[in-house]
Amino acid sequence: MVVVPASVRAAPYAALVMDARTGEVLHSTNADTRLHPASLTKMMTLYIAFQAVERGEISLDTMVRVSRNAAAEPPSKLGLRAGQSIKLRYLIRAAAVKSANDAATAIGEAIEGNEAAFARRMNRTAKAMGMTRTTFKNANGLTREGHLSTARDMTLLGRHLLYDYPEYYNLFSRRSTDAGMRTVNNTNRRLLDAYKGADGIKTGYTRAAGFNLVASAERGQERIIATVFGGRSTATRNAKVAELLDLGFRRAPSRAPLRKPGKPAYAGSGGSKGSGDTPGGAGKTIRLITAVKKSLRPQARPGSAQAPVLVAVKDDIKSALKEVMADTPEADDTQTAAAALPDADLPVSTATADTPSPRMRPSDLVLASTADQNEQVEDIVAAATEPAQREVVTRLSTSGGHHWGINVGRYPSRYAAEKILVKTALAEMATLDGSLRKVVNRKGGFDANFMGLTRERADLACRRLQARQITCFMIGPG
């Protein structure tokens, strides 16, 4: 009897075929058996990278500093060096096309700070997708105890990549791509070249897993996803996948309604490295205490020729009145008194039909003359500071209380912020109708805000958005 080492034994076989349009399973074998996914894992790493870019946690042009841990990953790899910096877009290309392990690890560390935190985020996202029998331990898929998935779960993940981020899906059909350091070739190019309509998605191989592949192909209005675990070689795996795709096209109806999967609940950390370790930590409402402790004196309106209203202590009133009088040396007694007393009524002849009836002039009003300005100033100051004659004037608000707002995220570009504002406004028209969409350029990106709300509407809008898995927080006045 010949004993075959465990490292070269054939890995267990599993397969699943799905109509991508409807999610209907057309064929399955051992589809729920937990097996080693190998580099199929990188589909989740890339999905979270796309999500992080969409949410403004990171941008495609962010310079990622490569850690010693990432640089030390075994092949397949891009050849990153510890300490070097490289744009995130190149890491994404290397992980998607070449299946580079060092690039995948660097992506995870850039988004969540370390590989363990990123694996926890992968698991939260998988759970939100309905991948019930998947557990991730790393970002690249290298064999690790407990790092397992199923043919069904990986097919679901491939479908989410296809429909949730169609703007990135073309990556998986590129035969080669510029990865910054060099041009890399697609590990799936043989199937892409050999099978009509094939345009992705991801290969995987380790000794424990065998040769794995999640493939998708489109012909006319039909699209099929086929997944294979445990192939014995690249050639036999590709042949089996082609056979399964053919089976899918035979069984799928020529016309079927497109029922895209719903995007999973956001399971990220909102851009704060490591804070995503706590489940449910994202999307909390932050209430700000924004009431001012001291009311500042408003500035005079630019271009206004009217003397400012004087609200001050005795010395301030005295000096201000002297300045007003000094500015009108040629005025007669009546004009000087009118300038010094802003509340003095205009003559009746100047009133329009819409002007309210003026108050009667006090019988004891004393008009100032230029000859005794100093004496008159003292009289006005004394009258203004007399407790029994003090008149309190309040400034009425014309805002109707609509000075609250909500923030729905910070994004790497103004376009991205404006886009999310439009999408959010359409999704929550009931509470955001009539609000002002405003993009504010901050140091870390562009804030997407809805302004002009009452506090009650802002609070209601934020709670309704959170129920839709949209992160937001209230912005108070000031």
Side-chain angles (χ1 to χ4, degrees):
M1 182 178 65
V2 177
V3 178
V4 180
S7 60
V8 298
R9 292 175 187 167
Y13 171 81
L16 187 134
V17 181
M18 177 181 289
D19 186 333
R21 300 165 299 175
T22 62
E24 180 186 359
V25 174
L26 305 174
H27 167 81
S28 67
T29 302
N30 300 327
D32 295 312
T33 302
R34 283 164 56 85
L35 302 170
H36 297 285
S39 285
L40 302 187
T41 300
K42 295 184 179 76
M43 289 195 296
M44 179 60 81
T45 299
L46 293 164
Y47 186 95
I48 293 176
F50 303 153
Q51 183 187 64
V53 171
E54 178 187 52
R55 290 278 179 162
E57 295 180 55
I58 196 170
S59 78
L60 292 173
D61 291 320
T62 295
M63 297 301 293
V64 176
R65 188 172 179 83
V66 179
S67 71
R68 184 176 300 175
N69 177 55
E73 296 287 13
S76 172
K77 60 192 300 182
L78 181 60
L80 299 172
R81 301 181 305 277
Q84 82 170 93
S85 294
I86 184 171
K87 288 184 178 181
L88 177 69
R89 68 173 67 249
Y90 295 132
L91 295 176
I92 288 175
R93 292 176 187 178
V97 175
K98 182 177 171 52
S99 195
N101 294 322
D102 51 356
T105 299
I107 290 171
E109 292 176 344
I111 294 173
E112 285 294 329
N114 61 75
E115 192 172 28
F118 187 74
R120 289 191 287 273
R121 176 165 175 176
M122 295 171 76
N123 290 325
R124 293 195 301 273
T125 305
K127 183 178 180 180
M129 282 185 185
M131 299 170 62
T132 59
R133 296 183 60 78
T134 294
T135 305
F136 293 113
K137 298 290 186 177
N138 56 46
N140 50 42
L142 290 171
T143 303
R144 187 176 297 180
E145 184 178 358
H147 186 98
L148 300 169
S149 187
T150 68
R152 186 184 307 276
D153 283 357
M154 282 296 157
T155 306
L156 290 174
L157 176 55
R159 187 168 183 248
H160 274 283
L161 273 174
L162 172 64
Y163 289 118
D164 291 357
Y165 294 103
E167 64 269 36
Y168 296 109
Y169 186 73
N170 71 87
L171 280 170
F172 302 105
S173 62
R174 297 182 186 181
R175 271 58 172 183
S176 63
T177 191
D178 176 15
M181 298 172 59
R182 59 192 175 92
T183 297
V184 294
N185 295 321
N186 197 318
T187 57
N188 195 32
R189 61 188 181 277
R190 292 183 184 177
L191 181 72
L192 294 174
D193 291 337
Y195 193 86
K196 180 182 177 182
D199 55 12
I201 303 177
K202 190 73 192 71
T203 64
Y205 168 77
T206 62
R207 289 181 179 179
F211 292 83
N212 298 350
L213 176 60
V214 176
S216 180
E218 184 178 36
R219 292 180 179 176
Q221 297 183 7
E222 301 172 28
R223 178 175 283 278
I224 303 298
I225 300 176
T227 298
V228 165
F229 274 62
R232 291 173 296 173
S233 67
T234 299
T236 57
R237 175 201 65 194
N238 288 357
K240 186 63 180 179
V241 167
E243 177 185 326
L244 293 174
L245 288 171
D246 287 341
L247 179 151
F249 283 117
R250 288 196 305 271
R251 294 186 179 180
S254 58
R255 293 182 180 272
L258 176 58
R259 295 195 291 266
K260 296 181 182 180
K263 274 192 176 184
Y266 178 57
S269 60
S272 175
K273 301 292 184 290
S275 65
D277 297 353
T278 302
K284 295 182 179 178
T285 300
I286 301 174
R287 300 191 181 274
L288 305 177
I289 300 175
T290 55
V292 295
K293 296 182 179 180
K294 181 179 179 182
S295 180
L296 302 178
R297 183 182 302 173
Q299 298 294 322
R301 181 177 297 176
S304 173
Q306 182 180 359
V309 178
L310 304 177
V311 183
V313 295
K314 178 178 178 180
D315 292 341
D316 292 334
I317 296 175
K318 182 176 179 179
S319 61
L321 286 172
K322 284 184 178 180
E323 290 177 7
V324 172
M325 295 171 126
D327 288 341
T328 57
E330 299 178 0
D332 60 24
D333 293 351
T334 305
Q335 291 172 330
T336 303
L341 299 172
D343 288 335
D345 300 312
L346 293 173
V348 175
S349 61
T350 64
T352 64
D354 296 329
T355 304
S357 300
R359 292 178 295 172
M360 293 185 65
R361 179 174 296 177
S363 60
D364 58 345
L365 178 66
V366 179
L367 299 179
S369 66
T370 56
D372 57 353
Q373 289 180 358
N374 291 336
E375 181 180 353
Q376 184 65 32
V377 167
E378 293 293 334
D379 292 341
I380 294 172
V381 170
T385 57
E386 185 73 30
Q389 299 178 2
R390 183 175 299 166
E391 182 180 1
V392 178
V393 179
T394 60
R395 192 175 77 177
L396 300 177
S397 171
T398 59
S399 67
H402 293 263
H403 39 230
W404 288 75
I406 61 173
N407 174 281
V408 292
R410 179 168 294 176
Y411 299 89
S413 68
R414 179 175 294 275
Y415 171 77
E418 292 174 345
K419 180 179 178 182
I420 199 67
L421 284 174
V422 172
K423 290 175 63 177
T424 305
L426 292 174
E428 188 50 46
M429 295 180 66
T431 54
L432 296 178
D433 185 34
S435 63
L436 174 65
R437 298 194 295 271
K438 185 175 182 181
V439 176
V440 181
N441 190 357
R442 303 289 188 192
K443 184 177 180 180
F446 293 83
D447 281 2
N449 300 333
F450 288 95
M451 305 302 297
L453 300 169
T454 63
R455 178 169 184 165
E456 291 74 16
R457 282 190 64 194
D459 181 65
L460 176 61
C462 217
R463 285 188 284 109
R464 288 171 65 99
L465 289 174
Q466 287 173 357
R468 298 173 184 271
Q469 307 301 327
I470 299 175
T471 304
C472 76
F473 61 83
M474 290 172 60
I475 303 172

